[in-house]
Amino acid sequence: LTPKDPSVQFALAQTAEQASDTPTALAAYRRFLVLAPEDPTAPAIRQRIKQLEQQAKTSVSAGG
């Protein structure tokens, strides 16, 4: 209902991550950064994106 609300994107990202839906989590975290690039949590979210991307690469190379 409110796709331009950064807090909604953050909540979606966390929920997707808990459900092991990495593509959705990454997309929502990236959308959050577009909507709120100066948010105090932005550096931590950028780091989390890097971690999830690395996990996704490892999972793919391991056949998962």
Side-chain angles (χ1 to χ4, degrees):
L1 293 173
T2 54
K4 293 186 179 183
D5 182 343
S7 64
V8 170
Q9 294 301 314
F10 184 73
L12 172 61
Q14 289 189 314
T15 301
E17 198 173 340
Q18 290 173 355
S20 298
D21 185 350
T22 302
T24 300
L26 284 168
Y29 280 136
R30 289 181 182 124
R31 181 76 176 146
F32 173 87
L33 291 175
V34 168
L35 296 170
E38 302 301 320
D39 189 271
T41 62
I45 291 173
R46 287 184 186 94
Q47 183 62 36
R48 189 64 189 138
I49 289 171
K50 288 179 185 178
Q51 291 170 344
L52 288 173
E53 288 173 337
Q54 187 60 41
Q55 287 175 4
K57 288 179 187 175
T58 302
S59 177
V60 169
S61 66

